[in-house]
Amino acid sequence: MARQYEMIMRHSRNSSGTAEPPRTDTRYKRIAAAMQKHQCRPDALIEILHKVQDAFGYLPMEAVRFVAREMRVPPSRVYGVATFYHFFSLKPKGKHNCVICTGTACHVRGAQAIVNEIQQQLGLRPGQTTADGKLGVQIARCIGCCGLAPAVVLDDQVLAKVKPGEMVETLRARVGGAR
Amino acid sequence: MNEIVSIQLDGNELKVELGRTILDVCREAGVDLPVMCYLEGLSVVGACRLCVVEIEGSPRLFPACTTPVAANQAIRTQTEKLKRYRRMIVELFFAERNHVCAVCVANNACELQDLARRVGMDHVRFPYLFPECGVDASHPHAVLDHNRCILCTRCVRVCDEVEGAHTWDVMGRGHASRVIADFNEPWGSSTTCTSCGKCVQVCPTGALWPKAASMGNLRKEPGKIGELVAKRKLNA
């Protein structure tokens, strides 16, 4: 515990002009604990970034700086890893997130029609989030459920054999109310 | 000392030591393979694929820089197929970013330009992507021009392996990849950069160039890195 506290304290002293001092933020404590569990080994970077994304829903730059400093991984390496994988996002995602699989099987079974329908009906292109932050739309290349093609992941739930019109209705229902 | 085996290099019998790479053996035998990402003294990534060779008995092409020699290998380095592929690779380099020799500080001091001449590239058959790339001139001594970067990662490796600063790395993926300093910040505000200038010396194009240089007087010395690494090994 003392070591975690020290990590967070050091960070909050170093970073200037942050809106919220990390030491009062339990999310930083969880990240510090995870780093400690891996003994700050550089090869655990991806797992730690997963923890950060779990805790915040995305990778806030302040947390990324915290991880780089504590794990002693060069800043450019951390940023490179964070931007290489589509799973990680440096921008806040929506409250609800919809990931459309556009892998080969889903593509053949009409994934593009789902993407187009969402764009036309809801005005959201892949990678975008609604202005109110309620819904984010992303695409992924194969989520490994080719038998369910075309598949969509909506908030950790896999939807199988999705039809474009139904998908839009599902999304409208999920974010609540007419939009 | 490793075992000595015999190989065939472009029809010539050679005795070579196991554990060495095909590129290494070729250079010793006076066969000059084109390279871009390879630089003596740095780790080997096998990224540019210019040094590909054919090995008899396999339909695949092998990058000479990462492939070790093996007993009774019959290696071909200058077939028509290889020449065609190498030229195509160079054309793709040109098509990917905004390479305009006429207005480049590295004109006549550019490995990419030399290579294009060497492989006989008189035009590019692929449509140019014309990506929007920034220029980072925030560093007091040098400029990073993404328009001329071919992502060979020599700068990334020299900074990490020789200087030990690891200021540079690559962000993103595919054609959206960019060389970045620290957290994708202006180079001039980097807290890790030691301003040693090694990245500028190893850059094969005009992507990294010293502000003191003007067109016609730019000279880079990438060979210094190999010498430096060798000296360090002697002193270690």
Side-chain angles (χ1 to χ4, degrees):
Chain A
M1 267 323 276
R3 166 92 179 111
Q4 281 171 34
Y5 183 69
E6 193 191 309
M7 264 186 189
I8 295 165
M9 281 302 286
R10 187 161 62 232
H11 178 68
S12 55
R13 273 199 303 273
N14 287 343
S15 61
S16 53
T18 51
E20 197 181 8
R23 65 171 169 275
T24 62
D25 193 331
T26 53
R27 293 175 295 190
Y28 278 90
K29 276 189 194 151
R30 274 160 60 195
I31 296 162
M35 286 192 280
Q36 215 180 355
K37 191 179 142 215
H38 289 281
Q39 290 151 10
C40 289
R41 278 179 29 210
D43 55 6
L45 174 63
I46 292 178
E47 275 139 65
I48 303 302
L49 290 179
H50 268 278
K51 289 272 181 234
V52 175
Q53 184 138 319
D54 274 353
F56 291 90
Y58 73 111
L59 303 179
M61 271 320 290
E62 206 207 19
V64 174
R65 284 173 200 278
F66 175 63
V67 168
R69 184 177 303 131
E70 292 309 322
M71 298 188 74
R72 294 170 199 228
V73 179
S76 54
R77 163 78 53 84
V78 180
Y79 199 89
V81 170
T83 53
F84 180 82
Y85 294 102
H86 288 312
F87 177 81
F88 295 127
S89 169
L90 293 166
K91 281 183 276 182
K93 289 184 177 174
K95 186 163 176 280
H96 299 286
N97 285 290
C98 161
V99 182
I100 305 152
C101 179
T102 56
T104 310
C106 291
H107 175 76
V108 171
R109 305 280 288 167
Q112 194 57 44
I114 303 173
V115 174
N116 292 345
E117 188 73 7
I118 289 175
Q119 189 175 340
Q120 274 167 20
Q121 299 293 323
L122 304 175
L124 281 176
R125 275 198 313 245
Q128 288 184 334
T129 306
T130 50
D132 58 9
K134 274 193 178 161
L135 178 66
V137 174
Q138 290 105 40
I139 55 172
R141 291 276 190 276
C142 197
I143 54 172
C145 304
C146 302
L148 308 178
V152 173
V153 184
L154 180 57
D155 296 335
D156 300 331
Q157 180 195 357
V158 179
L159 309 179
K161 300 186 178 164
V162 176
K163 294 187 177 64
E166 285 172 17
M167 190 63 227
V168 170
E169 289 315 309
T170 312
L171 290 177
R172 283 206 172 110
R174 184 63 61 101
V175 296
R179 210 203 82 89
Chain B
M1 191 82 179
N2 282 320
E3 197 188 331
I4 305 287
V5 295
S6 68
I7 61 163
Q8 286 222 332
L9 184 60
D10 290 329
N12 300 320
E13 194 85 11
L14 276 183
K15 300 272 185 220
V16 295
E17 201 184 326
L18 275 185
R20 299 176 65 188
T21 64
I22 294 178
L23 181 68
D24 200 16
V25 169
C26 284
R27 290 197 159 186
E28 202 178 80
V31 175
D32 187 17
L33 289 175
V35 291
M36 217 27 148
C37 66
Y38 178 86
L39 186 70
E40 210 174 318
L42 301 183
S43 62
V44 181
V45 290
C48 75
R49 302 272 146 178
L50 279 162
C51 65
V52 281
V53 295
E54 287 181 39
I55 298 176
E56 224 161 78
S58 170
R60 279 176 55 205
L61 301 179
F62 295 84
C65 62
T66 60
T67 311
V69 289
N72 304 321
Q73 251 172 359
I75 302 161
R76 303 207 169 275
T77 65
Q78 309 293 338
T79 63
E80 282 310 309
K81 180 179 170 188
L82 290 174
K83 283 180 185 165
R84 212 168 59 234
Y85 280 14
R86 284 179 190 144
R87 189 182 140 167
M88 188 191 289
I89 292 167
V90 178
E91 285 178 48
L92 289 169
F93 276 140
F94 275 83
E96 192 172 345
R97 298 270 171 114
N98 307 307
H99 296 279
V100 186
C101 297
V103 293
C104 181
V105 66
N107 194 5
N108 284 325
C110 174
E111 289 182 42
L112 183 63
Q113 192 183 38
D114 294 345
L115 191 64
R117 275 200 203 106
R118 185 175 155 186
V119 299
M121 187 193 95
D122 43 19
H123 66 289
V124 175
R125 289 165 293 171
F126 310 106
Y128 276 66
L129 292 182
F130 295 121
E132 256 186 63
C133 302
V135 177
D136 182 350
S138 58
H139 193 276
H141 307 314
V143 179
L144 166 62
D145 185 346
H146 291 285
N147 293 287
R148 302 162 179 166
C149 174
I150 59 165
L151 296 170
C152 64
T153 70
R154 282 190 194 177
C155 54
V156 175
R157 284 173 285 149
V158 81
C159 188
D160 177 44
E161 296 163 14
V162 184
E163 178 62 12
H166 203 122
T167 298
W168 299 119
D169 213 311
V170 179
M171 70 166 275
R173 53 161 72 203
H175 66 86
S177 303
R178 293 286 183 275
V179 167
I180 52 161
D182 290 357
F183 295 110
N184 193 18
E185 288 158 324
W187 186 13
S189 63
S190 165
T191 51
T192 55
C193 177
T194 58
S195 298
C196 70
K198 291 188 185 73
C199 50
V200 178
Q201 291 304 316
V202 299
C203 176
T205 70
L208 283 166
W209 51 280
K211 282 188 175 170
S214 59
M215 206 162 154
N217 75 0
L218 177 67
R219 288 288 170 270
K220 291 186 179 181
E221 299 192 58
K224 280 258 158 64
I225 299 304
E227 291 171 25
L228 190 65
V229 171
K231 275 183 209 160
R232 283 188 188 170
K233 269 188 196 144
L234 273 182
N235 295 334

